[in-house]
Amino acid sequence: LDKYDELDNTYIIYSSDHGYKLGQWRLPCEKSFIYETDIRVPFYVRGPGITPKSSTDIMIGNVDIMPSILDFAGVEIPGNVDGKSFKSQIVNVSQEMMNEMANEWRQIFLSEYMAHANQYFNICGTWFPEQNSFKGQVKKPNSVDESTGDLIWVDYGDNKNALGSNTWRNIRIINTTHNWGYAEYVNSSFTQTDKENPYLRILFDINKDPYQVDNIYDSVSKD
């Protein structure tokens, strides 16, 4: 880009996949859960009109990337896309303006995951330290409850009707007063009845509980 004098006329976007867990939340290495470590990834943009080293707290998702790239390129965005361009939030905008606009652009974002199959707790290995060995060892958790002989599902709760489901939908709510994550786990058959009757509801106040360990759903007024 330097060679052809195009660096200052090019938007460069960098992102990444999620990292695997190493036993957090007593889960194996999968990365398909409702936690911030699973639904957030790094995202950087460099290009004309973007203030160096600036940052924004707007919520974006995969659905916003395509319309944003089209907008950067000056191409008309189709009217039938789910996402929206975030160009107006970062191009020709000062850091102060970015901070002021962050809660106006989007306050609610929906993430969903449908389990591709029933998952047992030994779905993948997890690294553990090993005495007198720098390399450590990779072990697969036991998939069977030794006290009952039952298979251990990769999901929440003890619900025999859950079909080992890690199928969920999660709403992130971020504004000037709340930073919440609300999730519903449903049976993996994912029928309309399943969706209307989730077998588990979870609510995290992420400002107070950044590690997402305290489900406050039952203690919060439903009004």
PDB file of all heavy atoms in Angstrom, residues 154-186:
ATOM      1  N   VAL A 154     -23.174 -30.623  28.388  1.00  0.00           N
ATOM      2  CA  VAL A 154     -22.575 -29.294  28.386  1.00  0.00           C
ATOM      3  C   VAL A 154     -23.723 -28.276  28.348  1.00  0.00           C
ATOM      4  O   VAL A 154     -24.102 -27.769  27.309  1.00  0.00           O
ATOM      5  CB  VAL A 154     -21.654 -29.100  27.163  1.00  0.00           C
ATOM      6  CG1 VAL A 154     -21.074 -27.698  27.164  1.00  0.00           C
ATOM      7  CG2 VAL A 154     -20.543 -30.120  27.181  1.00  0.00           C
ATOM      8  N   ASP A 155     -24.321 -28.046  29.469  1.00  0.00           N
ATOM      9  CA  ASP A 155     -25.351 -27.016  29.573  1.00  0.00           C
ATOM     10  C   ASP A 155     -25.589 -26.719  31.043  1.00  0.00           C
ATOM     11  O   ASP A 155     -24.899 -27.229  31.922  1.00  0.00           O
ATOM     12  CB  ASP A 155     -26.652 -27.440  28.870  1.00  0.00           C
ATOM     13  CG  ASP A 155     -27.352 -28.599  29.580  1.00  0.00           C
ATOM     14  OD1 ASP A 155     -26.818 -29.143  30.560  1.00  0.00           O
ATOM     15  OD2 ASP A 155     -28.435 -28.962  29.147  1.00  0.00           O
ATOM     16  N   TYR A 156     -26.572 -25.877  31.302  1.00  0.00           N
ATOM     17  CA  TYR A 156     -26.897 -25.520  32.672  1.00  0.00           C
ATOM     18  C   TYR A 156     -27.980 -26.443  33.216  1.00  0.00           C
ATOM     19  O   TYR A 156     -28.806 -26.964  32.482  1.00  0.00           O
ATOM     20  CB  TYR A 156     -27.435 -24.088  32.735  1.00  0.00           C
ATOM     21  CG  TYR A 156     -26.417 -23.012  32.642  1.00  0.00           C
ATOM     22  CD1 TYR A 156     -26.145 -22.396  31.429  1.00  0.00           C
ATOM     23  CD2 TYR A 156     -25.720 -22.598  33.762  1.00  0.00           C
ATOM     24  CE1 TYR A 156     -25.217 -21.384  31.355  1.00  0.00           C
ATOM     25  CE2 TYR A 156     -24.792 -21.589  33.691  1.00  0.00           C
ATOM     26  CZ  TYR A 156     -24.546 -20.971  32.484  1.00  0.00           C
ATOM     27  OH  TYR A 156     -23.633 -19.975  32.405  1.00  0.00           O
ATOM     28  N   GLY A 157     -27.990 -26.559  34.525  1.00  0.00           N
ATOM     29  CA  GLY A 157     -29.130 -27.179  35.190  1.00  0.00           C
ATOM     30  C   GLY A 157     -29.193 -28.683  35.031  1.00  0.00           C
ATOM     31  O   GLY A 157     -28.464 -29.304  34.267  1.00  0.00           O
ATOM     32  N   ASP A 158     -30.128 -29.278  35.740  1.00  0.00           N
ATOM     33  CA  ASP A 158     -30.359 -30.719  35.698  1.00  0.00           C
ATOM     34  C   ASP A 158     -31.761 -30.924  35.142  1.00  0.00           C
ATOM     35  O   ASP A 158     -32.714 -31.130  35.873  1.00  0.00           O
ATOM     36  CB  ASP A 158     -30.222 -31.315  37.101  1.00  0.00           C
ATOM     37  CG  ASP A 158     -30.420 -32.825  37.102  1.00  0.00           C
ATOM     38  OD1 ASP A 158     -30.332 -33.415  36.008  1.00  0.00           O
ATOM     39  OD2 ASP A 158     -30.670 -33.396  38.180  1.00  0.00           O
ATOM     40  N   ASN A 159     -31.900 -30.834  33.827  1.00  0.00           N
ATOM     41  CA  ASN A 159     -33.189 -30.909  33.185  1.00  0.00           C
ATOM     42  C   ASN A 159     -33.168 -32.017  32.150  1.00  0.00           C
ATOM     43  O   ASN A 159     -32.550 -31.890  31.104  1.00  0.00           O
ATOM     44  CB  ASN A 159     -33.534 -29.562  32.526  1.00  0.00           C
ATOM     45  CG  ASN A 159     -34.967 -29.518  32.026  1.00  0.00           C
ATOM     46  OD1 ASN A 159     -35.473 -30.489  31.489  1.00  0.00           O
ATOM     47  ND2 ASN A 159     -35.609 -28.382  32.214  1.00  0.00           N
ATOM     48  N   LYS A 160     -33.828 -33.120  32.435  1.00  0.00           N
ATOM     49  CA  LYS A 160     -33.775 -34.269  31.536  1.00  0.00           C
ATOM     50  C   LYS A 160     -34.443 -33.985  30.197  1.00  0.00           C
ATOM     51  O   LYS A 160     -34.190 -34.673  29.209  1.00  0.00           O
ATOM     52  CB  LYS A 160     -34.437 -35.478  32.218  1.00  0.00           C
ATOM     53  CG  LYS A 160     -33.668 -35.978  33.432  1.00  0.00           C
ATOM     54  CD  LYS A 160     -34.322 -37.198  34.043  1.00  0.00           C
ATOM     55  CE  LYS A 160     -33.537 -37.697  35.245  1.00  0.00           C
ATOM     56  NZ  LYS A 160     -34.162 -38.880  35.865  1.00  0.00           N
ATOM     57  N   ASN A 161     -35.313 -32.962  30.148  1.00  0.00           N
ATOM     58  CA  ASN A 161     -35.972 -32.633  28.899  1.00  0.00           C
ATOM     59  C   ASN A 161     -35.148 -31.683  28.031  1.00  0.00           C
ATOM     60  O   ASN A 161     -35.558 -31.304  26.945  1.00  0.00           O
ATOM     61  CB  ASN A 161     -37.335 -31.982  29.180  1.00  0.00           C
ATOM     62  CG  ASN A 161     -38.284 -32.941  29.861  1.00  0.00           C
ATOM     63  OD1 ASN A 161     -38.302 -34.116  29.532  1.00  0.00           O
ATOM     64  ND2 ASN A 161     -39.058 -32.441  30.804  1.00  0.00           N
ATOM     65  N   ALA A 162     -33.987 -31.267  28.525  1.00  0.00           N
ATOM     66  CA  ALA A 162     -33.182 -30.293  27.788  1.00  0.00           C
ATOM     67  C   ALA A 162     -32.436 -30.923  26.622  1.00  0.00           C
ATOM     68  O   ALA A 162     -31.900 -30.207  25.787  1.00  0.00           O
ATOM     69  CB  ALA A 162     -32.190 -29.626  28.732  1.00  0.00           C
ATOM     70  N   LEU A 163     -32.398 -32.243  26.532  1.00  0.00           N
ATOM     71  CA  LEU A 163     -31.765 -32.942  25.423  1.00  0.00           C
ATOM     72  C   LEU A 163     -30.297 -32.564  25.249  1.00  0.00           C
ATOM     73  O   LEU A 163     -29.765 -32.566  24.157  1.00  0.00           O
ATOM     74  CB  LEU A 163     -32.524 -32.647  24.115  1.00  0.00           C
ATOM     75  CG  LEU A 163     -34.015 -32.994  24.125  1.00  0.00           C
ATOM     76  CD1 LEU A 163     -34.636 -32.624  22.792  1.00  0.00           C
ATOM     77  CD2 LEU A 163     -34.223 -34.466  24.418  1.00  0.00           C
ATOM     78  N   GLY A 164     -29.641 -32.237  26.341  1.00  0.00           N
ATOM     79  CA  GLY A 164     -28.240 -31.863  26.242  1.00  0.00           C
ATOM     80  C   GLY A 164     -28.030 -30.597  25.437  1.00  0.00           C
ATOM     81  O   GLY A 164     -27.039 -30.450  24.733  1.00  0.00           O
ATOM     82  N   SER A 165     -28.969 -29.669  25.550  1.00  0.00           N
ATOM     83  CA  SER A 165     -28.965 -28.523  24.657  1.00  0.00           C
ATOM     84  C   SER A 165     -28.059 -27.396  25.132  1.00  0.00           C
ATOM     85  O   SER A 165     -28.139 -26.967  26.274  1.00  0.00           O
ATOM     86  CB  SER A 165     -30.390 -27.976  24.523  1.00  0.00           C
ATOM     87  OG  SER A 165     -30.400 -26.780  23.805  1.00  0.00           O
ATOM     88  N   ASN A 166     -27.227 -26.911  24.227  1.00  0.00           N
ATOM     89  CA  ASN A 166     -26.533 -25.646  24.433  1.00  0.00           C
ATOM     90  C   ASN A 166     -27.091 -24.633  23.431  1.00  0.00           C
ATOM     91  O   ASN A 166     -26.373 -23.853  22.832  1.00  0.00           O
ATOM     92  CB  ASN A 166     -25.029 -25.803  24.255  1.00  0.00           C
ATOM     93  CG  ASN A 166     -24.286 -24.511  24.561  1.00  0.00           C
ATOM     94  OD1 ASN A 166     -24.629 -23.814  25.502  1.00  0.00           O
ATOM     95  ND2 ASN A 166     -23.298 -24.185  23.755  1.00  0.00           N
ATOM     96  N   THR A 167     -28.402 -24.691  23.226  1.00  0.00           N
ATOM     97  CA  THR A 167     -29.076 -23.776  22.313  1.00  0.00           C
ATOM     98  C   THR A 167     -29.629 -22.608  23.116  1.00  0.00           C
ATOM     99  O   THR A 167     -30.370 -22.815  24.076  1.00  0.00           O
ATOM    100  CB  THR A 167     -30.212 -24.494  21.565  1.00  0.00           C
ATOM    101  OG1 THR A 167     -29.650 -25.546  20.768  1.00  0.00           O
ATOM    102  CG2 THR A 167     -30.983 -23.548  20.681  1.00  0.00           C
ATOM    103  N   TRP A 168     -29.250 -21.401  22.733  1.00  0.00           N
ATOM    104  CA  TRP A 168     -29.627 -20.251  23.542  1.00  0.00           C
ATOM    105  C   TRP A 168     -29.795 -19.011  22.676  1.00  0.00           C
ATOM    106  O   TRP A 168     -29.384 -18.957  21.522  1.00  0.00           O
ATOM    107  CB  TRP A 168     -28.585 -19.971  24.624  1.00  0.00           C
ATOM    108  CG  TRP A 168     -27.158 -19.903  24.155  1.00  0.00           C
ATOM    109  CD1 TRP A 168     -26.239 -20.916  24.217  1.00  0.00           C
ATOM    110  CD2 TRP A 168     -26.476 -18.790  23.549  1.00  0.00           C
ATOM    111  NE1 TRP A 168     -25.038 -20.506  23.696  1.00  0.00           N
ATOM    112  CE2 TRP A 168     -25.145 -19.200  23.280  1.00  0.00           C
ATOM    113  CE3 TRP A 168     -26.845 -17.492  23.214  1.00  0.00           C
ATOM    114  CZ2 TRP A 168     -24.204 -18.366  22.692  1.00  0.00           C
ATOM    115  CZ3 TRP A 168     -25.917 -16.645  22.621  1.00  0.00           C
ATOM    116  CH2 TRP A 168     -24.615 -17.086  22.381  1.00  0.00           C
ATOM    117  N   ARG A 169     -30.415 -17.996  23.288  1.00  0.00           N
ATOM    118  CA  ARG A 169     -30.459 -16.656  22.699  1.00  0.00           C
ATOM    119  C   ARG A 169     -30.139 -15.679  23.823  1.00  0.00           C
ATOM    120  O   ARG A 169     -30.580 -15.855  24.965  1.00  0.00           O
ATOM    121  CB  ARG A 169     -31.824 -16.370  22.078  1.00  0.00           C
ATOM    122  CG  ARG A 169     -32.989 -16.704  22.975  1.00  0.00           C
ATOM    123  CD  ARG A 169     -34.273 -16.776  22.210  1.00  0.00           C
ATOM    124  NE  ARG A 169     -35.366 -17.222  23.060  1.00  0.00           N
ATOM    125  CZ  ARG A 169     -36.581 -17.505  22.619  1.00  0.00           C
ATOM    126  NH1 ARG A 169     -36.859 -17.379  21.350  1.00  0.00           N
ATOM    127  NH2 ARG A 169     -37.520 -17.912  23.456  1.00  0.00           N
ATOM    128  N   ASN A 170     -29.354 -14.666  23.501  1.00  0.00           N
ATOM    129  CA  ASN A 170     -28.802 -13.789  24.523  1.00  0.00           C
ATOM    130  C   ASN A 170     -28.955 -12.336  24.084  1.00  0.00           C
ATOM    131  O   ASN A 170     -28.563 -11.973  22.974  1.00  0.00           O
ATOM    132  CB  ASN A 170     -27.322 -14.120  24.735  1.00  0.00           C
ATOM    133  CG  ASN A 170     -26.670 -13.243  25.787  1.00  0.00           C
ATOM    134  OD1 ASN A 170     -27.139 -13.160  26.920  1.00  0.00           O
ATOM    135  ND2 ASN A 170     -25.579 -12.596  25.426  1.00  0.00           N
ATOM    136  N   ILE A 171     -29.526 -11.515  24.948  1.00  0.00           N
ATOM    137  CA  ILE A 171     -29.672 -10.092  24.660  1.00  0.00           C
ATOM    138  C   ILE A 171     -28.695  -9.323  25.535  1.00  0.00           C
ATOM    139  O   ILE A 171     -28.716  -9.440  26.759  1.00  0.00           O
ATOM    140  CB  ILE A 171     -31.111  -9.604  24.931  1.00  0.00           C
ATOM    141  CG1 ILE A 171     -32.090 -10.270  23.967  1.00  0.00           C
ATOM    142  CG2 ILE A 171     -31.187  -8.087  24.786  1.00  0.00           C
ATOM    143  CD1 ILE A 171     -33.535  -9.910  24.236  1.00  0.00           C
ATOM    144  N   ARG A 172     -27.823  -8.539  24.890  1.00  0.00           N
ATOM    145  CA  ARG A 172     -26.939  -7.638  25.630  1.00  0.00           C
ATOM    146  C   ARG A 172     -27.572  -6.265  25.652  1.00  0.00           C
ATOM    147  O   ARG A 172     -27.984  -5.733  24.620  1.00  0.00           O
ATOM    148  CB  ARG A 172     -25.552  -7.581  24.978  1.00  0.00           C
ATOM    149  CG  ARG A 172     -24.715  -8.797  25.240  1.00  0.00           C
ATOM    150  CD  ARG A 172     -24.307  -8.949  26.714  1.00  0.00           C
ATOM    151  NE  ARG A 172     -23.155  -8.108  27.026  1.00  0.00           N
ATOM    152  CZ  ARG A 172     -23.194  -7.024  27.785  1.00  0.00           C
ATOM    153  NH1 ARG A 172     -24.325  -6.616  28.330  1.00  0.00           N
ATOM    154  NH2 ARG A 172     -22.106  -6.332  28.026  1.00  0.00           N
ATOM    155  N   ILE A 173     -27.687  -5.689  26.832  1.00  0.00           N
ATOM    156  CA  ILE A 173     -28.300  -4.372  27.026  1.00  0.00           C
ATOM    157  C   ILE A 173     -27.244  -3.459  27.632  1.00  0.00           C
ATOM    158  O   ILE A 173     -26.776  -3.693  28.752  1.00  0.00           O
ATOM    159  CB  ILE A 173     -29.520  -4.463  27.961  1.00  0.00           C
ATOM    160  CG1 ILE A 173     -30.529  -5.479  27.418  1.00  0.00           C
ATOM    161  CG2 ILE A 173     -30.161  -3.092  28.153  1.00  0.00           C
ATOM    162  CD1 ILE A 173     -31.592  -5.894  28.420  1.00  0.00           C
ATOM    163  N   ILE A 174     -26.837  -2.442  26.886  1.00  0.00           N
ATOM    164  CA  ILE A 174     -25.825  -1.507  27.371  1.00  0.00           C
ATOM    165  C   ILE A 174     -26.304  -0.085  27.109  1.00  0.00           C
ATOM    166  O   ILE A 174     -26.532   0.309  25.960  1.00  0.00           O
ATOM    167  CB  ILE A 174     -24.463  -1.716  26.678  1.00  0.00           C
ATOM    168  CG1 ILE A 174     -23.969  -3.154  26.878  1.00  0.00           C
ATOM    169  CG2 ILE A 174     -23.439  -0.728  27.225  1.00  0.00           C
ATOM    170  CD1 ILE A 174     -22.640  -3.436  26.173  1.00  0.00           C
ATOM    171  N   ASN A 175     -26.490   0.669  28.175  1.00  0.00           N
ATOM    172  CA  ASN A 175     -26.853   2.078  28.053  1.00  0.00           C
ATOM    173  C   ASN A 175     -26.276   2.830  29.251  1.00  0.00           C
ATOM    174  O   ASN A 175     -25.416   2.305  29.957  1.00  0.00           O
ATOM    175  CB  ASN A 175     -28.377   2.250  27.930  1.00  0.00           C
ATOM    176  CG  ASN A 175     -29.134   1.553  29.051  1.00  0.00           C
ATOM    177  OD1 ASN A 175     -28.726   1.611  30.220  1.00  0.00           O
ATOM    178  ND2 ASN A 175     -30.231   0.888  28.714  1.00  0.00           N
ATOM    179  N   THR A 176     -26.753   4.026  29.494  1.00  0.00           N
ATOM    180  CA  THR A 176     -26.183   4.831  30.571  1.00  0.00           C
ATOM    181  C   THR A 176     -26.535   4.303  31.952  1.00  0.00           C
ATOM    182  O   THR A 176     -25.893   4.672  32.942  1.00  0.00           O
ATOM    183  CB  THR A 176     -26.653   6.290  30.447  1.00  0.00           C
ATOM    184  OG1 THR A 176     -28.090   6.319  30.438  1.00  0.00           O
ATOM    185  CG2 THR A 176     -26.125   6.915  29.159  1.00  0.00           C
ATOM    186  N   THR A 177     -27.543   3.446  32.059  1.00  0.00           N
ATOM    187  CA  THR A 177     -27.969   2.950  33.373  1.00  0.00           C
ATOM    188  C   THR A 177     -27.759   1.453  33.572  1.00  0.00           C
ATOM    189  O   THR A 177     -27.703   0.993  34.706  1.00  0.00           O
ATOM    190  CB  THR A 177     -29.462   3.266  33.613  1.00  0.00           C
ATOM    191  OG1 THR A 177     -30.253   2.662  32.571  1.00  0.00           O
ATOM    192  CG2 THR A 177     -29.693   4.773  33.622  1.00  0.00           C
ATOM    193  N   HIS A 178     -27.659   0.688  32.498  1.00  0.00           N
ATOM    194  CA  HIS A 178     -27.579  -0.766  32.629  1.00  0.00           C
ATOM    195  C   HIS A 178     -26.483  -1.345  31.738  1.00  0.00           C
ATOM    196  O   HIS A 178     -26.214  -0.832  30.649  1.00  0.00           O
ATOM    197  CB  HIS A 178     -28.909  -1.431  32.261  1.00  0.00           C
ATOM    198  CG  HIS A 178     -30.025  -1.148  33.203  1.00  0.00           C
ATOM    199  ND1 HIS A 178     -30.816  -0.023  33.097  1.00  0.00           N
ATOM    200  CD2 HIS A 178     -30.484  -1.821  34.286  1.00  0.00           C
ATOM    201  CE1 HIS A 178     -31.713  -0.019  34.066  1.00  0.00           C
ATOM    202  NE2 HIS A 178     -31.541  -1.096  34.804  1.00  0.00           N
ATOM    203  N   ASN A 179     -25.903  -2.424  32.211  1.00  0.00           N
ATOM    204  CA  ASN A 179     -24.991  -3.249  31.432  1.00  0.00           C
ATOM    205  C   ASN A 179     -25.348  -4.695  31.763  1.00  0.00           C
ATOM    206  O   ASN A 179     -24.728  -5.330  32.603  1.00  0.00           O
ATOM    207  CB  ASN A 179     -23.537  -2.941  31.776  1.00  0.00           C
ATOM    208  CG  ASN A 179     -22.560  -3.727  30.918  1.00  0.00           C
ATOM    209  OD1 ASN A 179     -22.953  -4.416  29.983  1.00  0.00           O
ATOM    210  ND2 ASN A 179     -21.282  -3.632  31.248  1.00  0.00           N
ATOM    211  N   TRP A 180     -26.381  -5.185  31.105  1.00  0.00           N
ATOM    212  CA  TRP A 180     -26.970  -6.479  31.437  1.00  0.00           C
ATOM    213  C   TRP A 180     -26.816  -7.463  30.285  1.00  0.00           C
ATOM    214  O   TRP A 180     -26.718  -7.092  29.118  1.00  0.00           O
ATOM    215  CB  TRP A 180     -28.458  -6.319  31.747  1.00  0.00           C
ATOM    216  CG  TRP A 180     -28.745  -5.773  33.113  1.00  0.00           C
ATOM    217  CD1 TRP A 180     -27.848  -5.310  34.021  1.00  0.00           C
ATOM    218  CD2 TRP A 180     -30.038  -5.634  33.719  1.00  0.00           C
ATOM    219  NE1 TRP A 180     -28.485  -4.898  35.165  1.00  0.00           N
ATOM    220  CE2 TRP A 180     -29.833  -5.076  35.009  1.00  0.00           C
ATOM    221  CE3 TRP A 180     -31.320  -5.909  33.317  1.00  0.00           C
ATOM    222  CZ2 TRP A 180     -30.877  -4.808  35.888  1.00  0.00           C
ATOM    223  CZ3 TRP A 180     -32.378  -5.644  34.181  1.00  0.00           C
ATOM    224  CH2 TRP A 180     -32.149  -5.098  35.459  1.00  0.00           C
ATOM    225  N   GLY A 181     -26.811  -8.725  30.658  1.00  0.00           N
ATOM    226  CA  GLY A 181     -26.903  -9.804  29.690  1.00  0.00           C
ATOM    227  C   GLY A 181     -28.035 -10.730  30.110  1.00  0.00           C
ATOM    228  O   GLY A 181     -28.016 -11.253  31.234  1.00  0.00           O
ATOM    229  N   TYR A 182     -29.024 -10.901  29.245  1.00  0.00           N
ATOM    230  CA  TYR A 182     -30.161 -11.780  29.551  1.00  0.00           C
ATOM    231  C   TYR A 182     -30.196 -12.915  28.535  1.00  0.00           C
ATOM    232  O   TYR A 182     -30.178 -12.686  27.322  1.00  0.00           O
ATOM    233  CB  TYR A 182     -31.480 -11.017  29.498  1.00  0.00           C
ATOM    234  CG  TYR A 182     -32.690 -11.932  29.583  1.00  0.00           C
ATOM    235  CD1 TYR A 182     -32.987 -12.591  30.780  1.00  0.00           C
ATOM    236  CD2 TYR A 182     -33.502 -12.170  28.479  1.00  0.00           C
ATOM    237  CE1 TYR A 182     -34.069 -13.452  30.866  1.00  0.00           C
ATOM    238  CE2 TYR A 182     -34.587 -13.028  28.555  1.00  0.00           C
ATOM    239  CZ  TYR A 182     -34.870 -13.664  29.745  1.00  0.00           C
ATOM    240  OH  TYR A 182     -35.925 -14.529  29.836  1.00  0.00           O
ATOM    241  N   ALA A 183     -30.234 -14.150  29.022  1.00  0.00           N
ATOM    242  CA  ALA A 183     -30.190 -15.310  28.132  1.00  0.00           C
ATOM    243  C   ALA A 183     -31.292 -16.299  28.467  1.00  0.00           C
ATOM    244  O   ALA A 183     -31.708 -16.431  29.625  1.00  0.00           O
ATOM    245  CB  ALA A 183     -28.833 -15.999  28.227  1.00  0.00           C
ATOM    246  N   GLU A 184     -31.759 -16.980  27.436  1.00  0.00           N
ATOM    247  CA  GLU A 184     -32.717 -18.077  27.592  1.00  0.00           C
ATOM    248  C   GLU A 184     -32.145 -19.320  26.924  1.00  0.00           C
ATOM    249  O   GLU A 184     -31.736 -19.271  25.757  1.00  0.00           O
ATOM    250  CB  GLU A 184     -34.048 -17.710  26.946  1.00  0.00           C
ATOM    251  CG  GLU A 184     -34.752 -16.542  27.608  1.00  0.00           C
ATOM    252  CD  GLU A 184     -36.056 -16.170  26.938  1.00  0.00           C
ATOM    253  OE1 GLU A 184     -36.299 -16.630  25.793  1.00  0.00           O
ATOM    254  OE2 GLU A 184     -36.846 -15.423  27.544  1.00  0.00           O
ATOM    255  N   TYR A 185     -32.107 -20.416  27.680  1.00  0.00           N
ATOM    256  CA  TYR A 185     -31.699 -21.705  27.132  1.00  0.00           C
ATOM    257  C   TYR A 185     -32.951 -22.499  26.787  1.00  0.00           C
ATOM    258  O   TYR A 185     -33.874 -22.595  27.595  1.00  0.00           O
ATOM    259  CB  TYR A 185     -30.860 -22.479  28.149  1.00  0.00           C
ATOM    260  CG  TYR A 185     -29.397 -22.104  28.136  1.00  0.00           C
ATOM    261  CD1 TYR A 185     -28.959 -20.930  28.735  1.00  0.00           C
ATOM    262  CD2 TYR A 185     -28.457 -22.920  27.520  1.00  0.00           C
ATOM    263  CE1 TYR A 185     -27.615 -20.576  28.713  1.00  0.00           C
ATOM    264  CE2 TYR A 185     -27.113 -22.588  27.498  1.00  0.00           C
ATOM    265  CZ  TYR A 185     -26.704 -21.409  28.099  1.00  0.00           C
ATOM    266  OH  TYR A 185     -25.384 -21.071  28.070  1.00  0.00           O
ATOM    267  N   VAL A 186     -32.969 -23.079  25.583  1.00  0.00           N
ATOM    268  CA  VAL A 186     -34.147 -23.831  25.132  1.00  0.00           C
ATOM    269  C   VAL A 186     -33.723 -25.217  24.669  1.00  0.00           C
ATOM    270  O   VAL A 186     -32.548 -25.467  24.376  1.00  0.00           O
ATOM    271  CB  VAL A 186     -34.875 -23.089  23.986  1.00  0.00           C
ATOM    272  CG1 VAL A 186     -35.336 -21.721  24.440  1.00  0.00           C
ATOM    273  CG2 VAL A 186     -33.994 -22.974  22.759  1.00  0.00           C
TER     274      VAL A 186
END
